[in-house]
Amino acid sequence: MVLRRGARWAAGAMAAVCMVLLMGPSAPSRGLPLARPLPSDAPGEVVPDRVGTWNICNPCGGSGLNFGRAREIATAAPQVIGLQEACVRDVEEIRAYLEEVYGLVYRVAYGSVLRNWNRCGGLPWRPGGFGQAILSAAPMTDRVSVEYPDGGSEDRGYLAVTTLVGGRPVRVFDTHLAERRQGEVRAGQVEVLAAEVARHDRAIVLGDFNAVPDAPELGPMWALARDTDPGCRPSGGGAGAGAGADAGACTVTTDWNLKFDYVFLRGITPRAHRVRPSPYSDHHLLHTDLDLG
């Protein structure tokens, strides 16, 4: 009986060690997945005037998920990218793949708004952080993480840092607003965010706003900034709408054919804009090249 008990304990201990090796944050260095070549239009190095935003989807399943996410980011190679629905462990694994497989080195700033074992794993008494993250090829300073007073059905907030884009310092915000049927809650969140953005002559606001361009709660953002998507403004001459603006001209950014994701620019001119659908999330990766001159 003692031997059988000991054998069971040894088998369980070995299984636990195997799980740590397979799932630990340093897993990429222990056995890298077979890397597929990047598309021919991938830049191969960080593009200094390119920024992006991507809700990476959580919870989402599938093997090789973080490696696939890293490949999507490497294909665009932005100087700065804001991630939403980001677990700290997932982001650390993505960063490791970006560096070890693709040679792209990013710093990270976190704006976790909750700790959730079901979403992010970890031990029940030490769950993983969940919220926003900003990856930047340049150092980041003056980090501020704010949780909105009312998150709606789940805690939400914004993360802000100062970093270099196109060789010039700029304030970058990353946010995720309340779920799509909670317009009144989003209105309060936009008021908080817009008040902070208005303090800066030049700012980039990245994120999943869970609202289409015509949604009334986005009015304060349109009054302050323009979206990088050419011609995408509220229709009907709403706040921030330019001549001939039409929300119907906006490129969709989700699998359900709606535009929820934005790169709002204040005091900065957009150039090329691209939306990349991805099998690794129900949102598309959106990136844009900027003129900060």
Side-chain angles (χ1 to χ4, degrees):
M1 179 68 70
V2 172
L3 286 176
R4 279 201 290 272
R5 246 191 247 119
R8 284 198 299 269
W9 181 89
M14 182 60 68
V17 169
C18 289
M19 287 296 288
V20 169
L21 291 176
L22 288 172
M23 300 179 66
S26 58
S29 63
R30 291 191 173 97
L32 296 172
L34 183 63
R36 289 183 295 155
L38 294 177
S40 59
D41 61 346
E45 58 185 18
V46 168
V47 181
D49 59 358
R50 178 172 294 175
V51 299
T53 184
W54 194 18
N55 181 321
I56 59 176
C57 183
N58 183 293
C60 285
S63 61
L65 190 62
N66 287 330
F67 184 71
R69 289 165 170 166
R71 185 175 185 273
E72 296 287 295
I73 294 171
T75 297
Q79 172 80 4
V80 174
I81 185 167
L83 304 177
Q84 304 89 44
E85 296 195 16
C87 292
V88 171
R89 288 181 178 87
D90 286 337
V91 175
E92 288 304 308
E93 192 168 334
I94 290 168
R95 287 178 67 216
Y97 286 136
L98 284 166
E99 181 172 0
E100 295 178 22
V101 179
Y102 299 110
L104 303 178
V105 179
Y106 285 98
R107 284 87 168 172
V108 63
Y110 292 107
S112 297
V113 292
L114 58 88
R115 295 192 172 275
N116 190 294
W117 182 76
N118 289 327
R119 280 190 180 270
C120 296
L123 300 173
W125 55 90
R126 193 179 177 184
F130 173 83
Q132 288 70 245
I134 294 177
L135 299 183
S136 174
M140 291 175 277
T141 60
D142 303 319
R143 172 192 166 275
V144 174
S145 181
V146 173
E147 189 171 332
Y148 294 124
D150 184 358
S153 56
E154 182 178 72
D155 295 349
R156 296 291 164 91
Y158 74 79
L159 169 67
V161 300
T162 298
T163 189
L164 296 179
V165 178
R168 301 188 65 181
V170 63
R171 194 66 172 165
V172 177
F173 295 81
D174 180 19
T175 192
H176 187 195
L177 300 189
E179 294 181 354
R180 58 190 297 186
R181 292 180 177 86
Q182 300 174 17
E184 291 186 4
V185 176
R186 287 195 301 276
Q189 294 171 349
V190 170
E191 287 183 5
V192 172
L193 176 63
E196 182 61 26
V197 174
R199 297 178 58 244
H200 303 274
D201 293 331
R202 295 192 311 145
I204 300 169
V205 186
L206 312 168
D208 172 7
F209 283 71
N210 268 321
V212 296
D214 273 337
E217 62 266 28
L218 295 191
M221 285 305 306
W222 289 117
L224 285 173
R226 61 180 297 182
D227 183 48
T228 185
D229 191 348
C232 182
R233 301 289 183 275
S235 58
D246 181 5
C250 302
T251 304
V252 301
T253 65
T254 66
D255 285 353
W256 48 95
N257 294 321
L258 294 172
K259 177 177 172 64
F260 278 179
D261 305 271
Y262 297 82
V263 175
F264 280 113
L265 303 174
R266 178 171 169 82
I268 299 170
T269 303
R271 296 193 293 111
H273 167 268
R274 184 163 183 179
V275 176
R276 293 178 177 271
S278 169
Y280 304 106
S281 176
D282 52 1
H283 287 250
H284 309 338
L285 193 158
L286 185 165
H287 66 80
T288 186
D289 295 345
L290 305 175
D291 180 0
L292 284 89

PDB file of all heavy atoms in Angstrom, residues 124-162:
ATOM      1  N   PRO A 124      -5.672  29.742  -7.908  1.00  0.00           N
ATOM      2  CA  PRO A 124      -6.936  30.384  -7.493  1.00  0.00           C
ATOM      3  C   PRO A 124      -6.730  31.566  -6.563  1.00  0.00           C
ATOM      4  O   PRO A 124      -7.502  32.518  -6.576  1.00  0.00           O
ATOM      5  CB  PRO A 124      -7.682  29.234  -6.798  1.00  0.00           C
ATOM      6  CG  PRO A 124      -7.154  27.995  -7.444  1.00  0.00           C
ATOM      7  CD  PRO A 124      -5.696  28.287  -7.730  1.00  0.00           C
ATOM      8  N   TRP A 125      -5.682  31.515  -5.718  1.00  0.00           N
ATOM      9  CA  TRP A 125      -5.428  32.633  -4.796  1.00  0.00           C
ATOM     10  C   TRP A 125      -4.430  33.644  -5.375  1.00  0.00           C
ATOM     11  O   TRP A 125      -4.085  34.611  -4.732  1.00  0.00           O
ATOM     12  CB  TRP A 125      -4.900  32.102  -3.457  1.00  0.00           C
ATOM     13  CG  TRP A 125      -3.680  31.236  -3.596  1.00  0.00           C
ATOM     14  CD1 TRP A 125      -2.384  31.635  -3.577  1.00  0.00           C
ATOM     15  CD2 TRP A 125      -3.660  29.823  -3.800  1.00  0.00           C
ATOM     16  NE1 TRP A 125      -1.546  30.572  -3.754  1.00  0.00           N
ATOM     17  CE2 TRP A 125      -2.305  29.435  -3.888  1.00  0.00           C
ATOM     18  CE3 TRP A 125      -4.649  28.840  -3.924  1.00  0.00           C
ATOM     19  CZ2 TRP A 125      -1.922  28.107  -4.089  1.00  0.00           C
ATOM     20  CZ3 TRP A 125      -4.263  27.527  -4.114  1.00  0.00           C
ATOM     21  CH2 TRP A 125      -2.920  27.166  -4.197  1.00  0.00           C
ATOM     22  N   ARG A 126      -3.991  33.386  -6.618  1.00  0.00           N
ATOM     23  CA  ARG A 126      -3.081  34.325  -7.278  1.00  0.00           C
ATOM     24  C   ARG A 126      -3.381  34.356  -8.774  1.00  0.00           C
ATOM     25  O   ARG A 126      -2.571  33.949  -9.593  1.00  0.00           O
ATOM     26  CB  ARG A 126      -1.634  33.934  -7.034  1.00  0.00           C
ATOM     27  CG  ARG A 126      -0.637  35.008  -7.415  1.00  0.00           C
ATOM     28  CD  ARG A 126       0.777  34.552  -7.124  1.00  0.00           C
ATOM     29  NE  ARG A 126       1.744  35.552  -7.543  1.00  0.00           N
ATOM     30  CZ  ARG A 126       3.056  35.377  -7.485  1.00  0.00           C
ATOM     31  NH1 ARG A 126       3.550  34.236  -7.036  1.00  0.00           N
ATOM     32  NH2 ARG A 126       3.878  36.308  -7.871  1.00  0.00           N
ATOM     33  N   PRO A 127      -4.589  34.811  -9.134  1.00  0.00           N
ATOM     34  CA  PRO A 127      -4.989  34.770 -10.548  1.00  0.00           C
ATOM     35  C   PRO A 127      -4.239  35.797 -11.396  1.00  0.00           C
ATOM     36  O   PRO A 127      -3.655  36.741 -10.873  1.00  0.00           O
ATOM     37  CB  PRO A 127      -6.480  35.092 -10.491  1.00  0.00           C
ATOM     38  CG  PRO A 127      -6.631  35.917  -9.245  1.00  0.00           C
ATOM     39  CD  PRO A 127      -5.623  35.373  -8.267  1.00  0.00           C
ATOM     40  N   GLY A 128      -4.275  35.587 -12.701  1.00  0.00           N
ATOM     41  CA  GLY A 128      -3.547  36.457 -13.616  1.00  0.00           C
ATOM     42  C   GLY A 128      -4.251  37.781 -13.861  1.00  0.00           C
ATOM     43  O   GLY A 128      -5.473  37.884 -13.774  1.00  0.00           O
ATOM     44  N   GLY A 129      -3.456  38.811 -14.179  1.00  0.00           N
ATOM     45  CA  GLY A 129      -3.991  40.133 -14.482  1.00  0.00           C
ATOM     46  C   GLY A 129      -4.608  40.185 -15.867  1.00  0.00           C
ATOM     47  O   GLY A 129      -4.103  39.578 -16.810  1.00  0.00           O
ATOM     48  N   PHE A 130      -5.712  40.948 -16.009  1.00  0.00           N
ATOM     49  CA  PHE A 130      -6.471  41.044 -17.256  1.00  0.00           C
ATOM     50  C   PHE A 130      -6.813  42.503 -17.522  1.00  0.00           C
ATOM     51  O   PHE A 130      -7.213  43.228 -16.615  1.00  0.00           O
ATOM     52  CB  PHE A 130      -7.755  40.219 -17.129  1.00  0.00           C
ATOM     53  CG  PHE A 130      -8.716  40.358 -18.288  1.00  0.00           C
ATOM     54  CD1 PHE A 130      -8.540  39.615 -19.439  1.00  0.00           C
ATOM     55  CD2 PHE A 130      -9.787  41.227 -18.212  1.00  0.00           C
ATOM     56  CE1 PHE A 130      -9.422  39.727 -20.498  1.00  0.00           C
ATOM     57  CE2 PHE A 130     -10.673  41.357 -19.269  1.00  0.00           C
ATOM     58  CZ  PHE A 130     -10.482  40.597 -20.412  1.00  0.00           C
ATOM     59  N   GLY A 131      -6.636  42.946 -18.768  1.00  0.00           N
ATOM     60  CA  GLY A 131      -6.988  44.319 -19.121  1.00  0.00           C
ATOM     61  C   GLY A 131      -6.282  44.764 -20.374  1.00  0.00           C
ATOM     62  O   GLY A 131      -6.302  44.077 -21.392  1.00  0.00           O
ATOM     63  N   GLN A 132      -5.626  45.912 -20.309  1.00  0.00           N
ATOM     64  CA  GLN A 132      -4.914  46.481 -21.462  1.00  0.00           C
ATOM     65  C   GLN A 132      -3.411  46.228 -21.334  1.00  0.00           C
ATOM     66  O   GLN A 132      -2.886  46.058 -20.239  1.00  0.00           O
ATOM     67  CB  GLN A 132      -5.133  47.993 -21.568  1.00  0.00           C
ATOM     68  CG  GLN A 132      -6.514  48.410 -22.020  1.00  0.00           C
ATOM     69  CD  GLN A 132      -7.570  48.128 -20.981  1.00  0.00           C
ATOM     70  OE1 GLN A 132      -8.450  47.305 -21.211  1.00  0.00           O
ATOM     71  NE2 GLN A 132      -7.491  48.797 -19.836  1.00  0.00           N
ATOM     72  N   ALA A 133      -2.746  46.246 -22.479  1.00  0.00           N
ATOM     73  CA  ALA A 133      -1.282  46.221 -22.507  1.00  0.00           C
ATOM     74  C   ALA A 133      -0.820  47.020 -23.713  1.00  0.00           C
ATOM     75  O   ALA A 133      -1.475  47.011 -24.766  1.00  0.00           O
ATOM     76  CB  ALA A 133      -0.753  44.797 -22.588  1.00  0.00           C
ATOM     77  N   ILE A 134       0.284  47.726 -23.571  1.00  0.00           N
ATOM     78  CA  ILE A 134       0.903  48.450 -24.682  1.00  0.00           C
ATOM     79  C   ILE A 134       2.294  47.879 -24.894  1.00  0.00           C
ATOM     80  O   ILE A 134       3.099  47.811 -23.952  1.00  0.00           O
ATOM     81  CB  ILE A 134       0.984  49.958 -24.399  1.00  0.00           C
ATOM     82  CG1 ILE A 134      -0.418  50.569 -24.322  1.00  0.00           C
ATOM     83  CG2 ILE A 134       1.804  50.668 -25.490  1.00  0.00           C
ATOM     84  CD1 ILE A 134      -0.429  52.049 -23.964  1.00  0.00           C
ATOM     85  N   LEU A 135       2.573  47.456 -26.124  1.00  0.00           N
ATOM     86  CA  LEU A 135       3.916  47.050 -26.525  1.00  0.00           C
ATOM     87  C   LEU A 135       4.532  48.202 -27.308  1.00  0.00           C
ATOM     88  O   LEU A 135       3.906  48.751 -28.216  1.00  0.00           O
ATOM     89  CB  LEU A 135       3.874  45.807 -27.413  1.00  0.00           C
ATOM     90  CG  LEU A 135       3.277  44.533 -26.815  1.00  0.00           C
ATOM     91  CD1 LEU A 135       3.383  43.391 -27.824  1.00  0.00           C
ATOM     92  CD2 LEU A 135       3.946  44.158 -25.515  1.00  0.00           C
ATOM     93  N   SER A 136       5.755  48.565 -26.955  1.00  0.00           N
ATOM     94  CA  SER A 136       6.451  49.655 -27.628  1.00  0.00           C
ATOM     95  C   SER A 136       7.899  49.267 -27.854  1.00  0.00           C
ATOM     96  O   SER A 136       8.549  48.714 -26.955  1.00  0.00           O
ATOM     97  CB  SER A 136       6.380  50.945 -26.803  1.00  0.00           C
ATOM     98  OG  SER A 136       7.179  51.963 -27.385  1.00  0.00           O
ATOM     99  N   ALA A 137       8.414  49.565 -29.044  1.00  0.00           N
ATOM    100  CA  ALA A 137       9.825  49.302 -29.323  1.00  0.00           C
ATOM    101  C   ALA A 137      10.728  50.284 -28.602  1.00  0.00           C
ATOM    102  O   ALA A 137      11.916  50.011 -28.419  1.00  0.00           O
ATOM    103  CB  ALA A 137      10.078  49.355 -30.832  1.00  0.00           C
ATOM    104  N   ALA A 138      10.204  51.430 -28.204  1.00  0.00           N
ATOM    105  CA  ALA A 138      10.965  52.445 -27.476  1.00  0.00           C
ATOM    106  C   ALA A 138      10.554  52.421 -26.006  1.00  0.00           C
ATOM    107  O   ALA A 138       9.468  51.951 -25.662  1.00  0.00           O
ATOM    108  CB  ALA A 138      10.715  53.831 -28.072  1.00  0.00           C
ATOM    109  N   PRO A 139      11.398  52.942 -25.123  1.00  0.00           N
ATOM    110  CA  PRO A 139      11.020  53.010 -23.702  1.00  0.00           C
ATOM    111  C   PRO A 139       9.740  53.821 -23.509  1.00  0.00           C
ATOM    112  O   PRO A 139       9.427  54.724 -24.295  1.00  0.00           O
ATOM    113  CB  PRO A 139      12.221  53.696 -23.054  1.00  0.00           C
ATOM    114  CG  PRO A 139      13.369  53.425 -23.979  1.00  0.00           C
ATOM    115  CD  PRO A 139      12.780  53.415 -25.356  1.00  0.00           C
ATOM    116  N   MET A 140       9.020  53.486 -22.451  1.00  0.00           N
ATOM    117  CA  MET A 140       7.790  54.195 -22.099  1.00  0.00           C
ATOM    118  C   MET A 140       7.947  54.859 -20.739  1.00  0.00           C
ATOM    119  O   MET A 140       8.586  54.307 -19.841  1.00  0.00           O
ATOM    120  CB  MET A 140       6.609  53.213 -22.068  1.00  0.00           C
ATOM    121  CG  MET A 140       6.225  52.684 -23.437  1.00  0.00           C
ATOM    122  SD  MET A 140       4.923  51.411 -23.375  1.00  0.00           S
ATOM    123  CE  MET A 140       5.910  49.945 -23.001  1.00  0.00           C
ATOM    124  N   THR A 141       7.364  56.042 -20.609  1.00  0.00           N
ATOM    125  CA  THR A 141       7.422  56.772 -19.346  1.00  0.00           C
ATOM    126  C   THR A 141       6.027  57.251 -18.974  1.00  0.00           C
ATOM    127  O   THR A 141       5.087  57.184 -19.766  1.00  0.00           O
ATOM    128  CB  THR A 141       8.362  57.994 -19.450  1.00  0.00           C
ATOM    129  OG1 THR A 141       7.859  58.884 -20.472  1.00  0.00           O
ATOM    130  CG2 THR A 141       9.780  57.571 -19.810  1.00  0.00           C
ATOM    131  N   ASP A 142       5.911  57.763 -17.757  1.00  0.00           N
ATOM    132  CA  ASP A 142       4.680  58.401 -17.269  1.00  0.00           C
ATOM    133  C   ASP A 142       3.465  57.496 -17.439  1.00  0.00           C
ATOM    134  O   ASP A 142       2.389  57.936 -17.864  1.00  0.00           O
ATOM    135  CB  ASP A 142       4.438  59.740 -17.985  1.00  0.00           C
ATOM    136  CG  ASP A 142       5.598  60.694 -17.828  1.00  0.00           C
ATOM    137  OD1 ASP A 142       6.147  60.763 -16.722  1.00  0.00           O
ATOM    138  OD2 ASP A 142       5.968  61.359 -18.823  1.00  0.00           O
ATOM    139  N   ARG A 143       3.627  56.228 -17.079  1.00  0.00           N
ATOM    140  CA  ARG A 143       2.516  55.280 -17.185  1.00  0.00           C
ATOM    141  C   ARG A 143       1.399  55.652 -16.217  1.00  0.00           C
ATOM    142  O   ARG A 143       1.630  55.944 -15.043  1.00  0.00           O
ATOM    143  CB  ARG A 143       3.003  53.864 -16.886  1.00  0.00           C
ATOM    144  CG  ARG A 143       1.894  52.823 -16.779  1.00  0.00           C
ATOM    145  CD  ARG A 143       2.408  51.522 -16.193  1.00  0.00           C
ATOM    146  NE  ARG A 143       1.321  50.641 -15.790  1.00  0.00           N
ATOM    147  CZ  ARG A 143       0.695  50.702 -14.624  1.00  0.00           C
ATOM    148  NH1 ARG A 143       1.060  51.632 -13.737  1.00  0.00           N
ATOM    149  NH2 ARG A 143      -0.285  49.865 -14.348  1.00  0.00           N
ATOM    150  N   VAL A 144       0.174  55.647 -16.731  1.00  0.00           N
ATOM    151  CA  VAL A 144      -1.019  55.865 -15.909  1.00  0.00           C
ATOM    152  C   VAL A 144      -2.042  54.796 -16.279  1.00  0.00           C
ATOM    153  O   VAL A 144      -2.342  54.605 -17.458  1.00  0.00           O
ATOM    154  CB  VAL A 144      -1.620  57.268 -16.133  1.00  0.00           C
ATOM    155  CG1 VAL A 144      -2.945  57.410 -15.390  1.00  0.00           C
ATOM    156  CG2 VAL A 144      -0.647  58.352 -15.695  1.00  0.00           C
ATOM    157  N   SER A 145      -2.562  54.110 -15.281  1.00  0.00           N
ATOM    158  CA  SER A 145      -3.614  53.117 -15.503  1.00  0.00           C
ATOM    159  C   SER A 145      -4.831  53.527 -14.696  1.00  0.00           C
ATOM    160  O   SER A 145      -4.741  53.707 -13.483  1.00  0.00           O
ATOM    161  CB  SER A 145      -3.135  51.721 -15.084  1.00  0.00           C
ATOM    162  OG  SER A 145      -4.140  50.755 -15.326  1.00  0.00           O
ATOM    163  N   VAL A 146      -5.966  53.706 -15.388  1.00  0.00           N
ATOM    164  CA  VAL A 146      -7.183  54.221 -14.760  1.00  0.00           C
ATOM    165  C   VAL A 146      -8.316  53.229 -14.983  1.00  0.00           C
ATOM    166  O   VAL A 146      -8.561  52.797 -16.111  1.00  0.00           O
ATOM    167  CB  VAL A 146      -7.563  55.594 -15.343  1.00  0.00           C
ATOM    168  CG1 VAL A 146      -8.920  56.054 -14.806  1.00  0.00           C
ATOM    169  CG2 VAL A 146      -6.480  56.627 -15.029  1.00  0.00           C
ATOM    170  N   GLU A 147      -8.990  52.898 -13.918  1.00  0.00           N
ATOM    171  CA  GLU A 147     -10.198  52.080 -14.028  1.00  0.00           C
ATOM    172  C   GLU A 147     -11.404  53.009 -14.052  1.00  0.00           C
ATOM    173  O   GLU A 147     -11.515  53.915 -13.213  1.00  0.00           O
ATOM    174  CB  GLU A 147     -10.286  51.109 -12.851  1.00  0.00           C
ATOM    175  CG  GLU A 147     -11.393  50.094 -12.999  1.00  0.00           C
ATOM    176  CD  GLU A 147     -11.339  48.999 -11.935  1.00  0.00           C
ATOM    177  OE1 GLU A 147     -10.224  48.713 -11.451  1.00  0.00           O
ATOM    178  OE2 GLU A 147     -12.401  48.460 -11.597  1.00  0.00           O
ATOM    179  N   TYR A 148     -12.296  52.811 -15.019  1.00  0.00           N
ATOM    180  CA  TYR A 148     -13.473  53.674 -15.117  1.00  0.00           C
ATOM    181  C   TYR A 148     -14.370  53.482 -13.886  1.00  0.00           C
ATOM    182  O   TYR A 148     -14.497  52.369 -13.365  1.00  0.00           O
ATOM    183  CB  TYR A 148     -14.260  53.357 -16.384  1.00  0.00           C
ATOM    184  CG  TYR A 148     -13.525  53.693 -17.660  1.00  0.00           C
ATOM    185  CD1 TYR A 148     -13.308  52.723 -18.641  1.00  0.00           C
ATOM    186  CD2 TYR A 148     -13.046  54.975 -17.888  1.00  0.00           C
ATOM    187  CE1 TYR A 148     -12.645  53.028 -19.819  1.00  0.00           C
ATOM    188  CE2 TYR A 148     -12.365  55.289 -19.054  1.00  0.00           C
ATOM    189  CZ  TYR A 148     -12.170  54.305 -20.021  1.00  0.00           C
ATOM    190  OH  TYR A 148     -11.496  54.621 -21.177  1.00  0.00           O
ATOM    191  N   PRO A 149     -15.013  54.577 -13.413  1.00  0.00           N
ATOM    192  CA  PRO A 149     -15.878  54.462 -12.234  1.00  0.00           C
ATOM    193  C   PRO A 149     -16.973  53.423 -12.398  1.00  0.00           C
ATOM    194  O   PRO A 149     -17.345  52.741 -11.437  1.00  0.00           O
ATOM    195  CB  PRO A 149     -16.460  55.879 -12.090  1.00  0.00           C
ATOM    196  CG  PRO A 149     -15.450  56.771 -12.744  1.00  0.00           C
ATOM    197  CD  PRO A 149     -14.885  55.971 -13.880  1.00  0.00           C
ATOM    198  N   ASP A 150     -17.501  53.301 -13.614  1.00  0.00           N
ATOM    199  CA  ASP A 150     -18.513  52.286 -13.915  1.00  0.00           C
ATOM    200  C   ASP A 150     -18.016  51.483 -15.114  1.00  0.00           C
ATOM    201  O   ASP A 150     -17.926  52.006 -16.225  1.00  0.00           O
ATOM    202  CB  ASP A 150     -19.855  52.948 -14.230  1.00  0.00           C
ATOM    203  CG  ASP A 150     -20.971  51.929 -14.465  1.00  0.00           C
ATOM    204  OD1 ASP A 150     -20.690  50.706 -14.414  1.00  0.00           O
ATOM    205  OD2 ASP A 150     -22.117  52.349 -14.697  1.00  0.00           O
ATOM    206  N   GLY A 151     -17.695  50.219 -14.891  1.00  0.00           N
ATOM    207  CA  GLY A 151     -17.196  49.379 -15.977  1.00  0.00           C
ATOM    208  C   GLY A 151     -18.283  48.670 -16.739  1.00  0.00           C
ATOM    209  O   GLY A 151     -18.018  48.050 -17.770  1.00  0.00           O
ATOM    210  N   GLY A 152     -19.531  48.743 -16.234  1.00  0.00           N
ATOM    211  CA  GLY A 152     -20.591  47.963 -16.849  1.00  0.00           C
ATOM    212  C   GLY A 152     -20.561  46.550 -16.298  1.00  0.00           C
ATOM    213  O   GLY A 152     -20.347  46.331 -15.106  1.00  0.00           O
ATOM    214  N   SER A 153     -20.740  45.568 -17.162  1.00  0.00           N
ATOM    215  CA  SER A 153     -20.804  44.179 -16.724  1.00  0.00           C
ATOM    216  C   SER A 153     -19.442  43.613 -16.346  1.00  0.00           C
ATOM    217  O   SER A 153     -19.360  42.512 -15.805  1.00  0.00           O
ATOM    218  CB  SER A 153     -21.429  43.321 -17.833  1.00  0.00           C
ATOM    219  OG  SER A 153     -20.707  43.463 -19.037  1.00  0.00           O
ATOM    220  N   GLU A 154     -18.365  44.344 -16.632  1.00  0.00           N
ATOM    221  CA  GLU A 154     -17.016  43.898 -16.291  1.00  0.00           C
ATOM    222  C   GLU A 154     -16.136  45.127 -16.118  1.00  0.00           C
ATOM    223  O   GLU A 154     -16.332  46.135 -16.794  1.00  0.00           O
ATOM    224  CB  GLU A 154     -16.464  43.011 -17.418  1.00  0.00           C
ATOM    225  CG  GLU A 154     -15.083  42.445 -17.161  1.00  0.00           C
ATOM    226  CD  GLU A 154     -14.625  41.534 -18.287  1.00  0.00           C
ATOM    227  OE1 GLU A 154     -14.318  42.048 -19.380  1.00  0.00           O
ATOM    228  OE2 GLU A 154     -14.587  40.307 -18.071  1.00  0.00           O
ATOM    229  N   ASP A 155     -15.168  45.062 -15.224  1.00  0.00           N
ATOM    230  CA  ASP A 155     -14.274  46.200 -15.013  1.00  0.00           C
ATOM    231  C   ASP A 155     -13.593  46.589 -16.320  1.00  0.00           C
ATOM    232  O   ASP A 155     -13.129  45.731 -17.076  1.00  0.00           O
ATOM    233  CB  ASP A 155     -13.215  45.858 -13.972  1.00  0.00           C
ATOM    234  CG  ASP A 155     -13.805  45.615 -12.587  1.00  0.00           C
ATOM    235  OD1 ASP A 155     -14.994  45.908 -12.403  1.00  0.00           O
ATOM    236  OD2 ASP A 155     -13.078  45.126 -11.712  1.00  0.00           O
ATOM    237  N   ARG A 156     -13.526  47.873 -16.592  1.00  0.00           N
ATOM    238  CA  ARG A 156     -12.875  48.398 -17.794  1.00  0.00           C
ATOM    239  C   ARG A 156     -12.076  49.640 -17.417  1.00  0.00           C
ATOM    240  O   ARG A 156     -12.324  50.276 -16.386  1.00  0.00           O
ATOM    241  CB  ARG A 156     -13.908  48.749 -18.877  1.00  0.00           C
ATOM    242  CG  ARG A 156     -14.694  47.541 -19.405  1.00  0.00           C
ATOM    243  CD  ARG A 156     -13.819  46.615 -20.213  1.00  0.00           C
ATOM    244  NE  ARG A 156     -14.384  45.301 -20.416  1.00  0.00           N
ATOM    245  CZ  ARG A 156     -15.142  44.942 -21.444  1.00  0.00           C
ATOM    246  NH1 ARG A 156     -15.453  45.824 -22.370  1.00  0.00           N
ATOM    247  NH2 ARG A 156     -15.591  43.720 -21.549  1.00  0.00           N
ATOM    248  N   GLY A 157     -11.128  50.030 -18.293  1.00  0.00           N
ATOM    249  CA  GLY A 157     -10.317  51.193 -17.995  1.00  0.00           C
ATOM    250  C   GLY A 157      -9.468  51.603 -19.178  1.00  0.00           C
ATOM    251  O   GLY A 157      -9.675  51.138 -20.298  1.00  0.00           O
ATOM    252  N   TYR A 158      -8.513  52.499 -18.920  1.00  0.00           N
ATOM    253  CA  TYR A 158      -7.559  52.874 -19.964  1.00  0.00           C
ATOM    254  C   TYR A 158      -6.152  52.903 -19.380  1.00  0.00           C
ATOM    255  O   TYR A 158      -5.947  53.067 -18.170  1.00  0.00           O
ATOM    256  CB  TYR A 158      -7.915  54.217 -20.617  1.00  0.00           C
ATOM    257  CG  TYR A 158      -7.650  55.460 -19.796  1.00  0.00           C
ATOM    258  CD1 TYR A 158      -6.364  56.008 -19.684  1.00  0.00           C
ATOM    259  CD2 TYR A 158      -8.699  56.132 -19.154  1.00  0.00           C
ATOM    260  CE1 TYR A 158      -6.129  57.156 -18.946  1.00  0.00           C
ATOM    261  CE2 TYR A 158      -8.477  57.282 -18.414  1.00  0.00           C
ATOM    262  CZ  TYR A 158      -7.187  57.781 -18.311  1.00  0.00           C
ATOM    263  OH  TYR A 158      -6.953  58.921 -17.574  1.00  0.00           O
ATOM    264  N   LEU A 159      -5.188  52.731 -20.274  1.00  0.00           N
ATOM    265  CA  LEU A 159      -3.764  52.782 -19.957  1.00  0.00           C
ATOM    266  C   LEU A 159      -3.150  53.877 -20.813  1.00  0.00           C
ATOM    267  O   LEU A 159      -3.487  53.987 -22.002  1.00  0.00           O
ATOM    268  CB  LEU A 159      -3.128  51.430 -20.274  1.00  0.00           C
ATOM    269  CG  LEU A 159      -1.603  51.321 -20.268  1.00  0.00           C
ATOM    270  CD1 LEU A 159      -1.058  51.516 -18.853  1.00  0.00           C
ATOM    271  CD2 LEU A 159      -1.175  49.950 -20.806  1.00  0.00           C
ATOM    272  N   ALA A 160      -2.281  54.686 -20.249  1.00  0.00           N
ATOM    273  CA  ALA A 160      -1.626  55.755 -21.009  1.00  0.00           C
ATOM    274  C   ALA A 160      -0.140  55.772 -20.705  1.00  0.00           C
ATOM    275  O   ALA A 160       0.278  55.573 -19.550  1.00  0.00           O
ATOM    276  CB  ALA A 160      -2.236  57.116 -20.675  1.00  0.00           C
ATOM    277  N   VAL A 161       0.663  55.999 -21.744  1.00  0.00           N
ATOM    278  CA  VAL A 161       2.117  56.118 -21.604  1.00  0.00           C
ATOM    279  C   VAL A 161       2.603  57.194 -22.568  1.00  0.00           C
ATOM    280  O   VAL A 161       1.903  57.576 -23.509  1.00  0.00           O
ATOM    281  CB  VAL A 161       2.849  54.791 -21.925  1.00  0.00           C
ATOM    282  CG1 VAL A 161       2.388  53.679 -21.001  1.00  0.00           C
ATOM    283  CG2 VAL A 161       2.664  54.396 -23.387  1.00  0.00           C
ATOM    284  N   THR A 162       3.813  57.664 -22.345  1.00  0.00           N
ATOM    285  CA  THR A 162       4.506  58.517 -23.305  1.00  0.00           C
ATOM    286  C   THR A 162       5.652  57.715 -23.893  1.00  0.00           C
ATOM    287  O   THR A 162       6.433  57.102 -23.165  1.00  0.00           O
ATOM    288  CB  THR A 162       5.047  59.785 -22.632  1.00  0.00           C
ATOM    289  OG1 THR A 162       3.942  60.535 -22.101  1.00  0.00           O
ATOM    290  CG2 THR A 162       5.806  60.651 -23.633  1.00  0.00           C
TER     291      THR A 162
END
